[in-house]
């Protein structure tokens, strides 16, 4: 009986708390409505005294109450990639669950105001530009934070949702590529009304523990941001700010190495086995043509893993090089067969041996040069991403130490680049560093 009474009392307390919150919000709305009605009454009296009719009354009723601020507002944004999965290379999109925290100062909020009404107050009107489809599992919450100093109250927006995002994948380095996963945050307001920057007191982040596509990709720990502006998404010529926040993933190469590259390598190597057949035998040429058709089939398999693009990837280059090498072998077989009708067989075998050595040298030279080229391009980019992870962790530790330590004490700290960085700034930083 005592346990039942305890449970009932807890439920009663929770209901009372919820009811108190509802009454508090209702009283705040009533106060705002009273202020608005008083203003309308004043305008009505003024219009009657000036013989202007109801024009001022209609103007204030049609005016957006959330756009009463005349100063330019700076909105700080922090984005967290809560969960990333289903990175689709062919459709060039990814599924992610996102948490956005936006904060700004509002001097129009009264010191005793506790509840924020977005329909009555100024909001940044944030939008996501690269969403593909509709938003799912959306939750929006506003709160007002009052400070003890002379600064005006700060409004904090917490926006959590799940959606597909379009991303223009750069596939030149496929399958050793590193991809940017970008969230493009903009606003319906112009650059004269609002400035969007990354949060200066807390870095955007990515939750690597909840990465659900780890079988195909490696997720880096850092995030990076840069600012831009656009007029394309709107009918009028107003310029709107954009903040791009991105994390990065590196493709795991194992599947493509063992299922495509290694098999194509074996197909090329089998061409040298065909030289055990006599020079004047047609079976040698038939063997190389069969291997060529097999490599063409693997080229079609590679095509299924990529979208329709107008440039060649590293895997395309390797398979095409294999086809060219097989074509050279077939040309060599036909040439030796023709020489057998002109020269003696002893001389033809010498030419055949020299041609085999030349083709073997080409085979080895190509793999060495291609491996060095990959190391200086795609692999070097992966090293840079690891260095960016280290720099991001240093910046994060620096910000945490700055919070805990009082100002003006301690040793002089190392300066870091600003949190909201233009595109390519870290690339130039690493070029200067190394």
């Amino acid at each position: 009986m005592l346990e039942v009474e305890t449970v009932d009392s807890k439920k009663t307390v929770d209901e009372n708390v919820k009811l108190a919150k509802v009454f508090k919000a209702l009283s705040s709305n009533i106060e705002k409505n009273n202020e608005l009605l008083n203003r309308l009454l004043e305008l009505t009296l003024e219009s009657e005294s000036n013989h202007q009719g109801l024009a001022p009354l209609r103007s204030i009723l049609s005016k957006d109450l959330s756009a009463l601020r005349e100063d330019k507002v700076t909105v700080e944004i922090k984005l967290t990639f809560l969960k990333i999965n289903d990175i689709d290379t062919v459709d060039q999109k990814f599924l992610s669950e996102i948490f956005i925290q936006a904060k700004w100062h509002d001097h129009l909020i009264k010191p005793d105001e506790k509840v924020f009404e977005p329909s009555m107050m100024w909001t940044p009107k944030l939008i996501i530009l690269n969403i593909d489809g509709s938003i799912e599992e959306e939750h929006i919450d506003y709160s007002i934070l009052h400070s003890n100093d002379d600064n005006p109250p700060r409004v904090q927006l917490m926006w959590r949702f799940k959606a597909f995002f379009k991303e223009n994948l750069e596939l030149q380095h496929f399958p050793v590529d590193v991809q940017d996963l970008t969230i493009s945050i903009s606003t319906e307001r112009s650059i004269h009304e609002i400035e969007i920057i990354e949060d200066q007191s807390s870095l955007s982040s990515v939750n690597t523990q909840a990465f659900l596509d780890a079988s195909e990709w490696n997720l880096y720990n850092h995030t990076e941001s840069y600012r831009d502006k656009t007029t394309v998404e709107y009918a009028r010529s107003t310029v709107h700010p954009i903040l791009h926040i991105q994390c990065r993933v590196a493709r795991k190469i194992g599947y493509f190495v063992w299922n495509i590259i290694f098999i194509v390598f074996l197909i090329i190597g089998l061409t040298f086995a065909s030289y055990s057949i006599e020079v004047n035998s047609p079976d040698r040429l038939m063997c190389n043509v069969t291997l060529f058709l097999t490599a063409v089939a693997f080229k079609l398999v590679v095509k299924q893993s990529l979208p329709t693009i107008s440039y060649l990837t590293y895997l395309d280059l390797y398979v095409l090089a294999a086809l060219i090498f097989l074509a050279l072998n077939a040309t060599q077989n036909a040439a030796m067969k023709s020489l057998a009708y002109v020269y003696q067989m002893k001389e033809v075998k010498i030419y055949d041996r020299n041609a085999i050595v030349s083709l073997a040298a080409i085979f080895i030279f190509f793999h060495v040069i291609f491996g060095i080229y990959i190391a200086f391009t795609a692999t070097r980019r992966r090293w840079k991403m690891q260095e960016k992870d280290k720099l991001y962790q240093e910046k994060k530790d620096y910000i945490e130490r700055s919070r805990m330590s009082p100002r003006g004490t301690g040793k002089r700290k190392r300066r870091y680049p600003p949190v909201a960085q233009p595109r390519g700034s870290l690339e130039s930083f690493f070029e200067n560093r190394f």
Side-chain angles (χ1 to χ4, degrees):
M1 290 295 292
L2 292 174
E3 293 180 357
V4 174
E5 291 178 357
T6 304
V7 173
D8 293 338
S9 62
K10 288 182 178 179
K11 290 183 178 179
T12 305
V13 171
D14 293 339
E15 292 175 356
N16 292 335
V17 171
K18 293 180 180 179
L19 189 60
K21 290 182 179 179
V22 171
F23 277 120
K24 186 180 293 185
L26 184 60
S27 62
S28 177
N29 290 333
I30 291 174
E31 291 178 1
K32 293 174 183 176
N33 292 335
N34 289 334
E35 293 178 2
L36 180 61
L37 290 174
N38 291 331
R39 178 60 178 156
L40 292 175
L41 182 59
E42 292 176 2
L43 286 175
T44 304
L45 295 175
E46 290 177 4
S47 63
E48 289 179 353
S49 62
N50 297 329
H51 304 285
Q52 296 178 359
L54 297 179
L57 183 62
R58 291 194 185 98
S59 65
I60 192 170
L61 289 175
S62 61
K63 190 174 183 180
D64 186 6
L65 294 176
S66 64
L68 294 176
R69 295 189 62 170
E70 297 180 354
D71 57 327
K72 186 175 182 180
V73 182
T74 300
V75 179
E76 297 184 15
I77 291 180
K78 173 188 175 184
L79 184 143
T80 302
F81 293 87
L82 296 176
K83 188 182 297 183
I84 302 174
N85 59 333
D86 197 12
I87 303 174
D88 193 337
T89 303
V90 178
D91 293 335
Q92 301 193 69
K93 63 182 182 180
F94 65 96
L95 176 63
S96 180
E97 186 174 348
I98 300 298
F99 174 75
I100 296 176
Q101 176 184 290
K103 57 185 180 182
W104 64 94
H105 291 285
D106 194 339
H107 61 273
L108 299 178
I109 296 177
K110 297 180 180 179
D112 58 343
E113 201 159 8
K114 302 296 182 182
V115 179
F116 185 86
E117 288 295 333
S119 60
M120 303 291 294
M121 300 181 180
W122 189 95
T123 59
K125 295 184 178 181
L126 298 178
I127 57 175
I128 309 297
L129 297 181
N130 61 328
I131 278 186
D132 184 28
S134 58
I135 293 177
E136 302 176 359
E137 304 176 12
E138 184 178 23
H139 178 72
I140 301 176
D141 186 33
Y142 290 90
S143 60
I144 300 176
L145 305 176
H146 294 276
S147 59
N148 297 325
D149 49 18
D150 296 333
N151 292 327
R154 187 177 64 183
V155 182
Q156 182 170 279
L157 162 65
M158 291 179 287
W159 185 15
R160 180 171 179 170
F161 61 94
K162 181 180 180 182
F164 279 97
F165 301 91
K166 294 294 291 183
E167 180 68 45
N168 293 323
L169 301 181
E170 299 175 358
L171 298 168
Q172 290 90 345
H173 297 169
F174 178 84
V176 287
D177 52 325
V178 175
Q179 297 297 338
D180 301 334
L181 303 181
T182 308
I183 306 296
S184 300
I185 305 172
S186 185
T187 174
E188 297 178 9
R189 302 185 183 276
S190 69
I191 58 174
H192 304 293
E193 302 175 75
I194 185 173
E195 181 182 13
I196 301 178
I197 63 174
E198 193 175 6
D199 197 325
Q200 301 298 297
S201 60
S202 181
L203 294 176
S204 297
S205 60
V206 55
N207 184 10
T208 57
Q209 302 299 324
F211 185 52
L212 302 180
D213 215 359
S215 60
E216 187 177 352
W217 302 86
N218 287 320
L219 179 62
Y220 291 102
N221 296 324
H222 71 273
T223 59
E224 203 169 359
S225 69
Y226 62 96
R227 285 183 283 177
D228 201 357
K229 55 186 178 181
T230 182
T231 58
V232 177
E233 283 74 16
Y234 307 95
R236 56 187 186 271
S237 59
T238 307
V239 181
H240 302 265
I242 307 176
L243 178 65
H244 301 279
I245 301 178
Q246 56 189 199
C247 65
R248 292 186 173 92
V249 291
R251 193 187 305 270
K252 291 185 177 180
I253 194 176
Y255 172 84
F256 300 96
V257 167
W258 298 113
N259 291 278
I260 297 178
I261 298 175
F262 182 68
I263 295 178
V264 172
F265 180 83
L266 291 179
I267 291 172
I268 299 174
L270 286 174
T271 58
F272 294 101
S274 65
Y275 292 115
S276 61
I277 303 174
E278 290 294 329
V279 176
N280 57 353
S281 174
D283 294 338
R284 178 189 279 193
L285 181 59
M286 291 177 58
C287 180
N288 281 298
V289 171
T290 303
L291 293 174
F292 181 87
L293 295 176
T294 305
V296 169
F298 273 94
K299 180 68 176 71
L300 298 178
V301 172
V302 174
K303 184 179 179 181
Q304 294 176 358
S305 303
L306 294 171
T308 303
I309 52 179
S310 59
Y311 52 86
L312 294 177
T313 67
Y314 283 176
L315 190 57
D316 290 330
L317 289 174
Y318 186 79
V319 176
L320 287 176
L323 293 174
I324 293 173
F325 186 78
L326 292 171
L328 287 176
N329 277 274
T331 304
Q332 190 269 352
N333 298 153
M336 293 302 107
K337 179 67 176 178
S338 301
L339 290 176
Y341 294 109
V342 179
Y343 297 98
Q344 295 182 358
M345 186 58 61
K346 185 176 181 181
E347 294 180 353
V348 172
K349 288 183 178 180
I350 294 175
Y351 294 143
D352 183 58
R353 185 168 58 252
N354 293 335
I356 293 173
V357 173
S358 299
L359 289 172
I362 293 173
F363 177 77
I364 296 173
F365 180 76
F366 167 76
H367 282 85
V368 172
I369 296 300
F370 194 64
I372 294 174
Y373 178 68
I374 291 176
F376 275 91
T377 53
T379 307
R380 186 168 179 265
R381 177 169 167 79
R382 296 194 175 209
W383 293 341
K384 286 185 177 180
M385 295 303 108
Q386 294 175 1
E387 290 295 329
K388 287 185 178 183
D389 275 349
K390 296 178 182 178
L391 179 63
Y392 175 84
Q393 188 61 42
E394 290 179 5
K395 287 176 63 177
K396 187 176 180 180
D397 295 340
Y398 172 78
I399 292 176
E400 291 179 356
R401 289 196 304 267
S402 299
R403 287 180 185 171
M404 298 176 63
S405 60
R407 294 184 178 180
T409 61
K411 297 181 179 180
R412 184 177 181 181
K413 297 181 176 61
R414 173 185 173 184
R415 288 192 173 185
Y416 287 89
V419 177
Q421 303 169 21
R423 193 169 197 175
S425 60
L426 283 181
E427 279 79 357
S428 60
F429 171 80
F430 286 112
E431 288 178 1
N432 295 331
R433 182 173 177 179
F434 297 105

